Amino acid sequence: MKLLLAEDETLLANSLVKQFTQHGFVVDWAADGEEASYLINEHPYDLIILDLGLPKKPGLEVLESLRAQQHVTPVLILTARNGWQERVEGLKKGADDYLGKPFHFEELLIRIQNLLKRSSVEGGVNSVLESNGLSLDVETQRVTTEDGLEHDLTHTEFRLLRFLMSHPNKLLSKSDIMAKIVDQNYDRDSNVLEVYIRRLRKVIGKERIQTQRGQGYRFVTTLPEEPK
């Protein structure tokens, strides 16, 4: 599991990174809001822990930008601003949970584990993911294309499409994708990913999944206009 910790208190951040690492998480740390936004746009995270009082760019602005880009990554707000007004405002902006300072690490850990369970890790909290006429039902593992036709997906095809749609317009490396969709016994250097990408393109259209040669793949939400 990969977490982003956006926290400007160095001592607290170092302590949390150490404890999360001991519990098997991989953690990136951002000390300000601009760095947090940059990392969110560069890497896929399973969950984001976001302080409201970040320098350079407030936590609520980071959260707004995240949700405006249709990212469904679970977000837990961690802050000393513990009044009910701040809680309501954070939840309105798209936060999934809220924990005030000071806190016990054990409670933070349980809240994170619960959020990860709710989101099923790979697909965010939404039961249906939608993008420009494309709809993926997380419960039935079926995709509905813009012509209104439903298509059954294999488990791996479903996991791949859900991961791509959960990170719209973001360049995802082959290693990031493979870590999410295939069994650890697969050879990560094989062409299994290319096979599943090709299968998905036949269903949803090749223009929705762009190949960035030598870098990875990108699920795009804006399709090119057809010539008149």
Side-chain angles (χ1 to χ4, degrees):
M1 303 289 178
K2 189 170 184 178
L3 309 180
L4 173 63
L5 173 64
E7 170 59 61
D8 64 324
E9 294 182 32
T10 303
L11 290 178
L12 175 60
N14 287 335
S15 175
L16 290 176
V17 169
K18 181 179 179 180
Q19 292 180 89
F20 281 130
T21 302
Q22 291 173 344
H23 282 81
F25 292 95
V26 176
V27 187
D28 286 345
W29 171 38
D32 61 68
E34 290 183 357
E35 184 180 10
S37 289
Y38 171 78
L39 289 174
I40 289 168
N41 289 324
E42 289 296 313
H43 305 286
Y45 293 101
D46 295 301
L47 185 139
I48 298 168
I49 304 167
L50 184 64
D51 181 30
L52 290 187
L54 294 172
K56 296 187 179 180
K57 185 176 182 180
L60 282 181
E61 288 187 18
V62 176
L63 180 58
E64 272 190 299
S65 301
L66 176 76
R67 295 307 186 218
Q69 296 175 54
Q70 301 179 36
H71 292 297
V72 296
T73 309
V75 174
L76 184 146
I77 289 180
L78 184 66
T79 180
R81 302 177 186 176
N82 204 20
W84 68 267
Q85 296 94 337
E86 287 79 13
R87 290 175 182 265
V88 170
E89 186 66 18
L91 295 172
K92 281 183 177 179
K93 299 293 185 183
D96 299 280
D97 200 358
Y98 202 115
L99 183 61
K101 300 176 183 177
F103 61 89
H104 292 286
F105 176 76
E106 289 75 12
E107 181 181 1
L108 174 60
L109 182 62
I110 289 173
R111 286 174 179 263
I112 286 174
Q113 291 170 339
N114 287 339
L115 285 177
L116 290 173
K117 288 177 183 177
R118 279 172 45 194
S119 67
S120 301
V121 179
E122 302 148 325
V125 297
N126 293 344
S127 60
V128 177
L129 299 177
E130 297 181 342
S131 175
N132 204 341
L134 191 71
S135 178
L136 179 65
D137 191 312
V138 173
E139 294 184 0
T140 65
Q141 298 191 14
R142 290 177 179 172
V143 62
T144 302
T145 47
E146 55 189 331
D147 55 10
L149 297 178
E150 283 191 356
H151 303 265
D152 290 318
L153 301 174
T154 68
H155 184 58
T156 303
E157 290 167 351
F158 164 71
R159 294 177 69 183
L160 172 58
L161 182 57
R162 181 166 66 169
F163 185 58
L164 292 173
M165 291 183 70
S166 296
H167 301 86
N169 302 310
K170 179 180 291 186
L171 180 62
L172 300 170
S173 69
K174 179 177 177 179
S175 59
D176 281 335
I177 299 173
M178 291 287 283
K180 291 293 182 182
I181 71 162
V182 301
D183 185 89
Q184 62 182 1
N185 294 323
Y186 272 102
D187 178 3
R188 298 298 170 92
D189 294 323
S190 71
N191 69 339
V192 63
L193 178 57
E194 287 76 8
V195 171
Y196 284 111
I197 290 287
R198 188 161 58 247
R199 290 182 186 176
L200 276 184
R201 282 173 169 160
K202 289 181 179 179
V203 175
I204 68 173
K206 62 180 181 180
E207 70 280 357
R208 291 185 182 270
I209 304 176
Q210 294 181 348
T211 301
Q212 202 83 13
R213 192 169 297 278
Q215 298 182 60
Y217 297 94
R218 190 193 313 271
F219 178 84
V220 296
T221 57
T222 304
L223 302 180
E225 293 185 5
E226 295 184 0
K228 298 181 179 178

